[in-house]
Amino acid sequence: MDKSKNYVYDIGLEKILSKIFGRNDANKLVYGVLVAGLLIILLTSSSILNLQLAANAGLTPLMDGIWNLPVCNVFEPRSDFCEIEGDIRVEGKSASIHFTSSTNESWRIKPYARKGDNGAMKDITELSIKSFLENDKQASAPDCNINHNTPAIIFSTGGYAGNQFHAFTEILLPLYLTSHHFHQEVQFLVTNSQPYWLKKYEPIIKQLSRYPIIDIDKEVDIHCYQKVTVGLKHHKDLGIDLTKSPKGYSMVDFAEFLRMSYSLERSSAIKMDKDFLNKNEKKKPRLLILSRKRTRRFINEDEIVTMAKDLGYEVVVAEPGVTITSSNFAHIVNSCDVMVAVHGAGCTNLLFLPSNAILIQVFPLGPLEEFGKHIYGDPAEAMNLRYLEYKITVEESSLVEQYPADHAIFRDPRSFSEKGWSAVKSAYLDQQNVKLDIGRFKKTLLEALELLHH
């Protein structure tokens, strides 16, 4: 083909438009037509893609361009939850929730916020959530026995709930985020119920709901509601993501909520005089040493107490959950200005410290610092606490009595990380105790005193 003819053909549209609109305007119009064409192609392709993505996400079209959002969110990394409104019927004995909808929906949800952890999730009751058409006489939804005017939240107290860290991370803090905005006008429906657990955390639960808890695993009645949330909203380990937080709740708000729940008196730590060390002050800062009787205990606890008293601290030594109730222990923690604890679930008691108090997390040997800072240090700082770390040396670990100096447990801690959490736990948490170097640790307690000046 003659290239000159082809060229004339290609620019023909531009020549015609040039005579009508002038050359400059014609050029702009040609480019505009090309851009518009590209946009149409992109939008068409995007619409097809969106249709596929929407279908995969469980969305169904109500009409052109308008989508019916699914009641369940299964895309969060740690928890699945459903927010349902309408005619909702909870059939506990068959672990089923039926609700009216204009579309067909069916979900299976385990209402515990540790998705992905098979060890935690394997015994959690799986709930079936199904829709039915409002006027469908053939619907399999059971008839209501008991009607409720309040909303309901369904969650599990199974999993790792017996551990204090997990109790707060996977149940109590997510329950606060999911229910606090109801101002106690909400009823809790529990699966995998553990009566001792509900009793232990009763002060918190009663501040979130003024209605009796229903153990749905034992229910034969059909309980009906107009609004139900299945599962709890989890943000992160012992923390709140402010970008996801309803009503802007923060860890400071959660700390204030806990003080109210347990009637804790102190909202702020002591503020020391700058010349405290040179005075015979009657009011001393209180130091709590979190005692442990099994693993990761302080071997030279008495020496630590003596040294701390010499620095001017009033020292309290206590072990949570041994001789006192959780409520009483919360009061002990709240009465202190500094808390010293070896890395472990006991550090969760930082939640009861007054603002501007100090958490000193003692790290035993092992690849634990980054993890420990994430689950305890970051929450402490988010609650307006001050945070210090003390990392022991090999000489301060009881492991020196169990392994030769050239063992991998000293030389290559990360090799245990590569084997998984179970290997780390077995090597560094389950069989290690701590004998603090009094001279080294003294510097950390002096630093804490200095922080209390500010």
Side-chain angles (χ1 to χ4, degrees), residues 161-344:
N163 175 290
Q164 188 184 24
F165 168 75
H166 292 286
F168 275 93
T169 294
E170 286 136 32
I171 302 177
L172 295 169
L173 180 52
L175 185 60
Y176 168 81
L177 291 170
T178 309
S179 68
H180 190 49
H181 62 283
F182 287 114
H183 306 290
Q184 296 183 295
E185 291 297 322
V186 62
Q187 186 163 41
F188 296 151
L189 280 58
V190 175
T191 184
N192 311 118
S193 177
Q194 302 184 67
Y196 87 90
W197 191 95
L198 295 172
K199 183 65 177 177
K200 179 177 181 179
Y201 295 109
E202 187 177 40
I204 297 174
I205 293 170
K206 282 191 171 181
Q207 284 298 319
L208 292 172
S209 171
R210 66 183 187 89
Y211 296 92
I213 293 173
I214 297 176
D215 180 351
I216 60 172
D217 297 340
K218 298 178 180 179
E219 276 298 305
V220 294
D221 289 315
I222 308 302
H223 291 264
C224 295
Y225 298 86
Q226 294 299 308
K227 185 171 186 177
V228 173
T229 301
V230 182
L232 302 175
K233 298 176 182 178
H234 178 282
H235 291 178
K236 54 185 177 179
D237 289 329
L238 210 62
I240 296 175
D241 183 343
L242 295 179
T243 65
K244 298 179 180 179
S245 178
K247 310 294 182 182
Y249 296 145
S250 67
M251 286 300 289
V252 171
D253 296 319
F254 185 58
E256 291 176 356
F257 166 77
L258 291 177
R259 291 183 200 121
M260 179 181 64
S261 299
Y262 287 104
S263 300
L264 304 180
E265 296 178 1
R266 301 177 73 218
S267 60
S268 184
I270 190 173
K271 187 174 182 180
M272 304 303 304
D273 188 283
K274 289 185 178 180
D275 298 322
F276 166 75
L277 295 177
N278 300 321
K279 292 183 178 181
N280 184 21
E281 292 280 353
K282 290 184 178 180
K283 193 172 183 180
K284 299 179 178 181
R286 281 171 63 89
L287 169 68
L288 171 63
I289 297 176
L290 217 63
S291 184
R292 300 176 65 101
K293 292 296 183 279
R294 291 177 292 178
T295 179
R296 283 164 282 153
R297 63 184 177 86
F298 291 117
I299 296 173
N300 57 337
E301 197 170 85
D302 292 342
E303 291 182 71
I304 300 168
V305 171
T306 300
M307 179 268 289
K309 286 181 176 179
D310 290 343
L311 292 181
Y313 284 102
E314 178 186 348
V315 182
V316 179
V317 179
E319 183 177 5
V322 176
T323 58
I324 45 182
T325 66
S326 58
S327 179
N328 287 342
F329 197 80
H331 280 267
I332 291 173
V333 175
N334 182 253
S335 72
C336 295
D337 305 290
V338 181
M339 185 175 86
V340 177
V342 179
H343 172 77

Side-chain angles (χ1 to χ4, degrees), residues 15-83:
K15 282 187 174 182
I16 295 170
L17 293 173
S18 295
K19 290 186 178 181
I20 301 173
F21 299 105
R23 177 163 295 278
N24 289 337
D25 289 340
N27 288 340
K28 291 177 183 178
L29 191 58
V30 168
Y31 296 141
V33 170
L34 292 174
V35 169
L38 286 172
L39 284 174
I40 290 170
I41 293 170
L42 288 172
L43 287 172
T44 302
S45 301
S46 177
S47 296
I48 294 170
L49 179 61
N50 285 339
L51 284 168
Q52 185 60 50
L53 290 174
N56 291 342
L59 278 66
T60 53
L62 291 176
M63 59 184 69
D64 189 28
I66 300 177
W67 293 90
N68 179 38
L69 295 175
V71 298
C72 296
N73 180 347
V74 296
F75 296 108
E76 296 296 325
R78 285 288 290 274
S79 66
D80 294 333
F81 59 90
C82 309
E83 295 178 299

